[in-house]
Amino acid sequence: MKIDLTDSTASKINKALVQGRRAIGTPAIGMVLTLVIVTDEENAYDALKAANEASREHPSRTLVVIRRVSRSPRDRTKSRLDAEVRLGAEAGTGETVVLRLYGEVVDHADSVVLPLLLPDAPVVVWWPVNSPLDPAKDPLGALAQRRVTDTYSAETPVRELNARADAYAPGDTDLSWTRITPWRSMLAAALDQVVCDVSAVEVEGEEFNPSCELLAMWLADRLNVPVRRSQSAGPGLTAVRMETTCGPIVLDRADGSLATLSIDGQPDRAVALKRRETSELIAEELRRLDPDDTYASALRYGVDRLNTSSGEAPAPGETPAPAATAVKTAAKAPAKKAATKAAASAPAKKAASK
């Protein structure tokens, strides 16, 4: 069922939701949360499709906020709210309201969304693209217990990770982090099978893939070892190689679907490690609404490695060093410093001997 409302208000939208539920014979509300999607017209269809599929696991009221750009100065002074209410089969297992904002109301989207939130239910805000630098301080983000961004859609993912670390607040998360959940689980399980120490790690993947950087940060944070970041043609993450005192451990996924886990002294094993759809990622994030401390620790640990080796921020237009490469550079720094000091003292020692 679909109800179109032109030049509407939040009160009229709420009445349309009640009337629609009665019309389809489901007056009771059985939804567990409110999912607010902030996007543009271009990406609204894909985001809404993913949310509808995720609603099979998490019945929710989905509010899609689309800010429409006014073409003339006269139109920018006129405020208008158009709404599209969807119920039944067209809204998954919950309710969907598509909100299109025009004119001055674009800057007050939180005032439009607030009356439409489910009472006494958690709120999750998701930015598929063009997420704010500080989601917690965004007017819509301030309404939510959980704020989901995606650095993969950013033009400069590494810089975006740097900004995420500076502005992190409990409740922030990233779909680039969610994408590596199977990798983290598999690597942790592999290390549980051996009794040895890890001395070095290599993470291989696409050049502009923030999931590779986040996995490198997580490994460096948890293992406290040098982590090298290497590039491949993809798709996505392709391999993780760990040097241990018991021999190498390799998790290699060349085709983006089936991976091979190799542990020294054990037969190779095929592991299902396919690239997941956005709906699966959103469904995973909606399973937990508490702060992700592991993500916060990895993000904060790696932010220094996104800068130059001297610890200063890169100049505008300069590409920051990959996180894992900087970890390795930092690990080698004491040895280089000692070598420099020894070289400087060599002439003095030679003169004293004479």
Side-chain angles (χ1 to χ4, degrees):
M1 181 178 183
K2 185 185 296 184
I3 303 173
D4 289 326
L5 301 172
T6 303
D7 198 6
S8 185
T9 63
S11 177
K12 293 178 181 179
I13 295 171
N14 272 318
K15 290 180 181 178
L17 286 168
V18 174
Q19 293 173 358
R21 285 196 298 268
R22 290 175 178 172
I24 63 177
T26 56
I29 300 178
M31 290 161 286
V32 298
L33 58 87
T34 302
L35 175 62
V36 182
I37 304 174
V38 187
T39 184
D40 53 18
E41 200 72 63
E42 179 183 358
N43 297 279
Y45 174 80
D46 292 334
L48 189 53
K49 181 181 178 182
N52 287 343
E53 293 176 2
S55 71
R56 298 172 185 171
E57 183 176 342
H58 308 279
S60 58
R61 173 177 289 181
T62 303
L63 306 177
V64 184
V65 179
I66 302 175
R67 296 182 171 97
R68 298 297 298 266
V69 179
S70 300
R71 297 183 179 275
S72 65
R74 181 181 300 174
D75 292 337
R76 296 189 191 104
T77 61
K78 298 179 181 178
S79 298
R80 192 175 94 233
L81 170 63
D82 293 345
E84 186 179 308
V85 178
R86 302 180 185 180
L87 301 101
E90 296 188 13
T93 59
E95 301 172 342
T96 298
V97 181
V98 181
L99 304 168
R100 289 182 171 85
L101 283 58
Y102 299 82
E104 295 179 348
V105 75
V106 167
D107 299 324
H108 304 282
D110 54 321
S111 300
V112 176
V113 168
L114 187 59
L116 300 176
L117 301 178
L118 288 173
D120 302 323
V123 179
V124 179
V125 178
W126 171 32
W127 291 270
V129 294
N130 302 325
S131 54
L133 293 179
D134 193 344
K137 292 185 178 179
D138 182 84
L140 286 173
L143 301 174
Q145 287 79 29
R146 192 80 162 167
R147 295 166 292 275
V148 184
T149 57
D150 191 356
T151 52
Y152 187 76
S153 64
E155 187 173 350
T156 53
V158 175
R159 285 185 179 273
E160 196 79 6
L161 284 176
N162 196 7
R164 291 282 171 269
D166 291 339
Y168 176 82
D172 290 354
T173 190
D174 195 319
L175 291 187
S176 295
W177 171 257
T178 315
R179 290 183 179 96
I180 63 173
T181 299
W183 284 83
R184 293 189 292 119
S185 301
M186 193 58 59
L187 292 172
L191 290 176
D192 284 342
Q193 300 178 35
V194 295
V195 181
C196 55
D197 295 328
V198 180
S199 58
V201 179
E202 178 184 3
V203 176
E204 180 185 271
E206 290 176 329
E207 181 178 2
F208 300 107
N209 192 315
S211 295
C212 302
E213 311 297 338
L214 283 169
L215 184 61
M217 295 176 193
W218 174 71
L219 289 167
D221 180 33
R222 292 296 167 180
L223 299 177
N224 195 25
V225 297
V227 179
R228 186 168 71 90
R229 170 77 164 88
S230 59
Q231 297 177 7
S232 69
L237 271 163
T238 52
V240 174
R241 302 177 181 88
M242 296 186 287
E243 296 295 333
T244 73
T245 54
C246 303
I249 297 177
V250 180
L251 183 59
D252 192 343
R253 186 190 68 177
D255 60 356
S257 178
L258 190 65
T260 302
L261 177 62
S262 303
I263 301 177
D264 194 47
Q266 300 182 17
D268 292 351
R269 279 167 283 182
V271 179
L273 208 61
K274 70 181 184 69
R275 290 166 62 84
R276 296 183 293 170
E277 299 292 336
T278 305
S279 58
E280 299 177 69
L281 303 177
I282 286 295
E284 179 183 329
E285 284 301 331
L286 296 180
R287 291 185 197 126
R288 55 174 300 174
L289 299 177
D290 55 317
D292 192 340
D293 296 331
T294 306
Y295 166 68
S297 178
L299 189 64
R300 286 169 173 164
Y301 182 92
V303 67
D304 294 336
R305 277 70 178 183
L306 298 179
N307 297 334
T308 60
S309 59
S310 63
E312 299 177 357
E318 181 182 348
T319 303
T325 304
V327 171
K328 188 175 181 182
T329 303
K332 292 182 177 179
K336 291 183 178 179
K337 187 176 181 181
T340 305
K341 186 176 180 181
S345 61
K349 289 183 179 178
K350 188 175 181 181
S353 64
K354 290 183 178 180

